[in-house]
Amino acid sequence: MSARAARVPGGRKAGIAHHESVVEATVSEQQRAMWFLERTGRPGTYNIGSTVRIRGEFDVPAMKRALAELVERHRILRSVLTEGEDESGVRQRVRPIDEIDLFDETWDGRAETPFDLGTGPLVRARIERRAPDDHLFYLCFHHAVYDGGSAPVFWRELWRAYRGERLDEPAVQYADYAIWQQQRLAGGVLDKQARWWADTLSGCPVLTTLPADRPRPAHPSNAGRELRLRMPEPVRRGVEAMAEAEGASFYMVVLAALQAFVSRVSRQDDVVIGSPLSGRVRPELREVIGCFVNTVATRADLSEDPSFRAHLGRTRDHVLDLFDHLELPFDRVVETVNPPRSPSWSPLFQMLYVHQGDITERDTPPELRVSEVDERTDSAKFDWLVTTWQDTEGMVLSVEYATELFDDGTVRRLADEFLGMLGAVLADPDRALSGHPVTAAAGAAAVAAAVAADDTVPAAEDPATPTEQYLAELWQQLLDVPRVHRNDDFFHLGGHSFLGIRLLNRVRLQYGVDLPTAALFEARTLYRLGRAIDRELTAPATADLLPMAEGSGPAFFLVHPVGGGVGCYAGLARSLGRPVYALEAVGLSTVEEMAEAYLTAVESAAQPPLAFGGWSMGGVVAFEMARRLELRTGKALPVLMIDSHVPEPEDGPATEADLVSWFAEDWGAAVGTDLGPSVTTREQLWRRAREHGLLESPGDGGLVERLLDRFETNLHAIRQFTVPGGYPGRVCLIQAGDEPRDRADHGWGGVTSRPVRTIALQGDHYGVMRGPELAPTLARLLQEAIDHG
């Protein structure tokens, strides 16, 4: 298959553009929230402090130069937040490095010392000399410019700069992300997420908390303390074993246990606990310092007294759903759900759980010994903030609590009881939650028992249905086993998440069934997975319209490229001056099915269609939609395509090597990176992605797997499609002027009954989408469609 043909179904979310020499810009939604919280709450509550002890021959002047270099290169670290005098609201402004005094020797090192957001700087440092070879290095950031995901980037670059290594300029700055985010939000693409959040949190409890020692004050002071415990090592190992056995993560297991504990102690079946998740939704944000965290509300229904295994499964599925609905900022979630408000409590949840993973990794010089200094807070943003992290000695459990509500002894007792219940549910995960006594952690040592899933289908029963027989053959190939029975567990036979993705890809190609990744962990046996597929085969897929730009009159409908998403159209849609809707992929396996489902969705739009269009594969599907509509109604709508080719049908699915190779080429071009030659296996793809900084394990892996899933499904659809001829409507083709052409009009003249209008714009297949001439050209073509009826 040629490189041109491989790019027929191209398309990804538009990359984040870099804006040179930005001095003032819009703030991100996260920064806006931090500015509001700082103005309305206790100053200093949203500071992030860190103190490290450095032993050895420490070069203090070199460290000061290194910190200045980082603040110079990461503009967010010398930015301030100002309130505009007009209607622009809060803005971020970059201050010159020579106006900033980073080292404040009058600062006592306490993290709670407030910052002035309007004058800054929003990072401060101090070095205290205790002995010639013993120093304390104090650092503090305001959360508006820094988060937990920034820490690895900051410390890695700081020590490199300390050693005098050269650092390349960042590809994008945080202000670039803020501009990109606001452009996406303005396009209306998040309405679907808002509806999901409204449904998910409908009727949720006003308060989720633990029994307090004192009544809740009308106006909390945010005074607090912190308790730190060491999670018993058998409990830690048990959490990891349970996570592995159930296809979950350490975070999911502890979150599920915390939900169950709160439900038991507070005697409420409906529990909502907050949790911050990373909003670094693009690979190019991996090395950017700033605030990307979006806090989400996790909800659990324990009314049926499930076992911990069953509850964990639901929690795991819910968290996976949360990752698909992260782009709606938390304050907008609150606005959408509109819960009862009071200054006495935070909306939606009053407890938070955070898992920080391993904080021991630092690229420190070998001649120095660097260790974290144990610091405790004297503030509390919530009733309880539970945090877990791995250090050199094991797993730490921290509880930051409001002292206006809880006594120290009460918190210690509740924390011990939580660890005890965690150990108990891990030791016997199939017992109903009500059957586990709430006791202290002394009994947690029994947790080392193995956790495994039971299956109710009789042993050694052969596959019975055609679906089961197909799956059995597929499992034999993927898992390299001679025989598969109905009760066999995919993971017990040697399967893992990576092979599971490949399995679901094959199911999509064979049946057109788009099962979510979580389905494999829930339906682990051949029998259960076969039933899940058969159920999906009887449920027709439906498509939803995503409004991307508002206006009156006829609307322009854009169809997704091969990636399945429509983020690539966000900025374009707002520049067209008319209503624009987009159609995302819903897992359909043929172009014909897509066209029918998308036409059904178009009928639900508030505005009638003016034209159909799309980039690359999107243009092909748009053409088929217009052709089918004309056959039914006699009305031939214009089709406006962006570098779309008439596909050349090919026999059979792509080989695994071709699929990965084409995806690697497409993905690399979309993000401006060459992943190199001979990427033919998924293992090579993941390794190259990590080497080029495109994949941050494990968080970004799930995103890439979903991209590859949709690429494979849609690639198969376009390879099997033959474009019928004779369409009488207007067809306009915008070509990528820098791409070689084997046909003057990419083949569209052969399937239309009137000449195809072609316009060449500068750029390759991906660059044409980012070019400045695309929006005015499309706007002109749409106006011509109106003028000529």
Side-chain angles (χ1 to χ4, degrees):
M1 187 175 183
S2 67
R4 178 206 57 77
R7 286 187 174 182
V8 165
R12 291 293 179 271
K13 287 182 179 179
I16 298 176
H18 176 54
H19 302 78
E20 289 290 342
S21 303
V22 171
V23 175
E24 185 172 328
T26 182
V27 294
S28 69
E29 289 298 311
Q30 294 93 329
Q31 288 178 306
R32 193 187 310 278
M34 291 301 165
W35 177 86
F36 175 79
L37 291 168
E38 185 76 11
R39 292 287 297 269
T40 59
R42 175 185 172 185
T45 302
Y46 289 88
N47 293 356
I48 301 177
S50 176
T51 302
V52 295
R53 188 173 185 180
I54 304 174
R55 297 182 178 93
E57 297 182 7
F58 181 46
D59 188 341
V60 174
M63 176 56 77
K64 291 185 175 182
R65 290 193 299 269
L67 183 59
E69 181 178 348
L70 257 67
V71 173
E72 170 70 19
R73 66 188 260 100
H74 292 283
R75 298 175 191 166
I76 187 62
L77 295 181
R78 48 191 173 96
S79 296
V80 296
L81 303 186
T82 60
E83 189 172 6
E85 298 178 358
D86 53 14
E87 297 180 355
S88 63
V90 187
R91 306 279 291 175
Q92 57 176 310
R93 180 171 57 85
V94 182
R95 292 186 58 186
I97 186 65
D98 56 7
E99 294 182 3
I100 296 176
D101 185 9
L102 297 172
F103 286 86
D104 182 3
E105 298 303 322
T106 66
W107 174 45
D108 63 1
R110 296 177 71 251
E112 290 77 15
T113 303
F115 287 99
D116 185 335
L117 298 188
T119 61
L122 303 185
V123 53
R124 62 168 67 99
R126 177 173 174 238
I127 297 177
E128 177 182 320
R129 183 177 184 270
R130 299 163 61 96
D133 61 348
D134 190 0
H135 293 78
L136 289 179
F137 182 28
Y138 300 93
L139 271 171
C140 188
F141 307 83
H142 194 276
H143 205 346
V145 301
Y146 193 85
D147 63 5
S150 301
V153 181
F154 176 86
W155 286 104
R156 182 170 60 250
E157 291 189 359
L158 183 68
W159 286 116
R160 288 184 59 192
Y162 173 86
R163 292 192 293 265
E165 297 180 21
R166 181 180 178 275
L167 300 177
D168 295 330
E169 283 297 309
V172 295
Q173 294 281 345
Y174 187 84
D176 299 326
Y177 162 75
I179 295 170
W180 174 82
Q181 183 196 54
Q182 292 303 316
Q183 290 172 343
R184 285 180 58 78
L185 294 176
V189 297
L190 299 182
D191 288 353
K192 186 175 180 180
Q193 292 201 10
R195 292 194 298 269
W196 184 87
W197 278 108
D199 292 339
T200 299
L201 297 178
S202 175
C204 69
V206 175
L207 292 173
T208 297
T209 189
L210 295 167
D213 296 300
R214 285 170 291 280
R216 187 178 297 274
H219 296 278
S221 68
N222 290 336
R225 267 194 290 277
E226 183 183 4
L227 168 70
R228 290 188 185 178
L229 301 173
R230 183 71 60 182
M231 184 179 289
E233 186 60 18
V235 177
R236 184 195 66 79
R237 291 196 302 268
V239 173
E240 291 180 346
M242 189 77 181
E244 181 178 1
E246 297 301 313
S249 64
F250 193 102
Y251 159 80
M252 294 174 184
V253 176
V254 178
L255 173 63
L258 184 61
Q259 291 169 335
F261 177 74
V262 172
S263 174
R264 286 286 303 281
V265 175
S266 66
R267 298 184 179 180
Q268 62 184 93
D269 295 328
D270 198 354
V271 172
V272 181
I273 294 177
S275 193
L277 300 178
S278 175
R280 295 171 186 260
V281 295
R282 295 283 306 178
E284 57 264 45
L285 298 176
R286 184 173 180 265
E287 299 298 316
V288 178
I289 289 176
C291 182
F292 295 90
V293 169
N294 192 14
T295 303
V296 298
T298 70
R299 187 178 187 182
D301 178 7
L302 298 108
S303 58
E304 298 178 0
D305 192 20
S307 68
F308 182 71
R309 193 190 303 278
H311 170 53
L312 173 60
R314 290 199 289 265
T315 299
R316 176 202 59 217
D317 295 345
H318 182 52
V319 171
L320 292 173
D321 280 343
L322 291 174
F323 277 107
D324 289 332
H325 298 87
L326 264 183
E327 292 192 72
L328 192 70
F330 178 68
D331 59 335
R332 301 197 183 195
V333 173
V334 175
E335 293 174 7
T336 299
V337 180
N338 194 25
R341 310 290 182 88
S342 169
S344 266
W345 61 75
S346 59
L348 294 182
F349 54 79
Q350 296 74 46
M351 297 186 64
L352 207 73
Y353 171 57
V354 184
H355 179 57
Q356 294 182 340
D358 190 340
I359 66 168
T360 62
E361 294 185 7
R362 294 188 188 278
D363 189 17
T364 54
E367 70 271 16
L368 297 178
R369 301 188 306 279
V370 180
S371 58
E372 292 279 341
V373 175
D374 187 351
E375 295 180 303
R376 307 298 167 95
T377 183
D378 64 357
S379 65
K381 309 176 187 68
F382 301 91
D383 293 3
W384 269 44
L385 167 57
V386 179
T387 308
T388 50
W389 69 83
Q390 178 80 30
D391 64 13
T392 56
E393 298 178 16
M395 188 65 62
V396 177
L397 175 76
S398 161
V399 180
E400 176 186 300
Y401 57 97
T403 52
E404 290 178 305
L405 297 177
F406 299 95
D407 291 331
D408 299 349
T410 300
V411 174
R412 179 59 191 254
R413 174 179 58 81
L414 289 171
D416 281 338
E417 289 175 352
F418 166 64
L419 288 174
M421 184 171 180
L422 176 60
V425 297
L426 293 172
D428 189 359
D430 295 308
R431 176 184 295 182
L433 289 173
S434 63
H436 292 287
V438 178
T439 57
V447 77
V451 286
D454 293 327
D455 200 295
T456 58
V457 179
E461 187 175 336
D462 290 332
T465 68
T467 304
E468 291 176 10
Q469 292 168 358
Y470 169 77
L471 287 176
E473 296 175 0
L474 186 55
W475 286 25
Q476 287 174 286
Q477 297 171 9
L478 291 175
L479 303 174
D480 192 24
V481 294
R483 191 176 181 86
V484 178
H485 301 289
R486 296 184 78 196
N487 65 309
D488 284 344
D489 186 300
F490 181 79
F491 297 96
H492 290 174
L493 291 179
H496 48 75
S497 300
F498 195 69
L499 284 176
I501 298 299
R502 299 176 64 182
L503 167 63
L504 295 180
N505 286 343
R506 297 297 186 270
V507 169
R508 288 185 182 92
L509 292 177
Q510 177 70 17
Y511 296 105
V513 170
D514 189 15
L515 289 176
T517 306
L520 184 59
F521 297 105
E522 183 67 28
R524 303 161 64 101
T525 66
L526 189 78
Y527 164 72
R528 291 174 178 169
L529 186 59
R531 287 188 61 187
I533 294 171
D534 289 338
R535 283 195 301 267
E536 288 293 322
L537 288 173
T538 63
T542 59
D544 291 327
L545 287 177
L546 297 179
M548 304 196 76
E550 297 180 350
S552 59
F556 184 33
F557 292 84
L558 285 163
V559 182
H560 63 85
V562 73
V566 293
C568 55
Y569 300 133
L572 174 66
R574 291 189 299 276
S575 304
L576 298 180
R578 64 185 61 258
V580 179
Y581 294 89
L583 292 143
E584 283 192 313
V586 291
L588 296 167
S589 59
T590 70
V591 171
E592 294 88 346
E593 290 174 346
M594 294 176 196
E596 285 296 330
Y598 300 165
L599 282 174
T600 300
V602 168
E603 293 174 353
S604 67
Q607 291 93 348
L610 166 63
F612 296 139
W615 173 38
S616 200
M617 176 185 178
V620 178
V621 181
F623 182 89
E624 178 63 9
M625 291 171 62
R627 190 190 70 82
R628 288 173 176 253
L629 183 65
E630 190 274 333
L631 289 176
R632 291 205 286 263
T633 67
K635 182 176 178 61
L637 294 182
V639 182
L640 311 182
M641 296 182 285
I642 307 169
D643 210 39
S644 302
H645 294 252
V646 172
E648 301 170 356
E650 303 191 29
D651 295 330
T655 66
E656 175 76 359
D658 283 342
L659 171 69
V660 174
S661 176
W662 297 336
F663 175 75
E665 178 190 4
D666 190 77
W667 184 23
V671 299
T673 298
D674 184 359
L675 294 180
S678 304
V679 182
T680 57
T681 69
R682 295 175 187 244
E683 291 79 4
Q684 290 173 338
L685 172 64
W686 258 247
R687 185 169 62 252
R688 295 278 180 87
R690 292 192 178 100
E691 290 171 354
H692 286 75
L694 300 181
L695 180 59
E696 182 177 358
S697 180
D700 285 350
L703 296 175
V704 176
E705 287 169 356
R706 289 194 290 274
L707 286 174
L708 186 53
D709 286 348
R710 295 201 294 192
F711 182 90
E712 182 171 16
T713 300
N714 289 334
L715 179 66
H716 178 73
I718 203 72
R719 283 166 56 92
Q720 302 303 308
F721 180 58
T722 300
V723 179
Y727 181 61
R730 295 157 50 88
V731 174
C732 302
L733 172 67
I734 296 175
Q735 295 177 311
D738 297 349
E739 293 279 1
R741 303 178 194 169
D742 54 355
R743 293 172 287 185
D745 57 9
H746 292 351
W748 292 107
V751 293
T752 60
S753 58
R754 59 190 296 180
V756 175
R757 182 175 180 185
T758 60
I759 302 172
L761 297 182
Q762 186 175 359
D764 61 12
H765 184 70
Y766 301 89
V768 71
M769 286 294 294
R770 300 187 289 269
E773 294 301 315
L774 179 60
T777 301
L778 275 178
R780 185 173 70 251
L781 293 174
L782 288 169
Q783 187 60 48
E784 290 176 2
I786 292 177
D787 295 342
H788 295 89

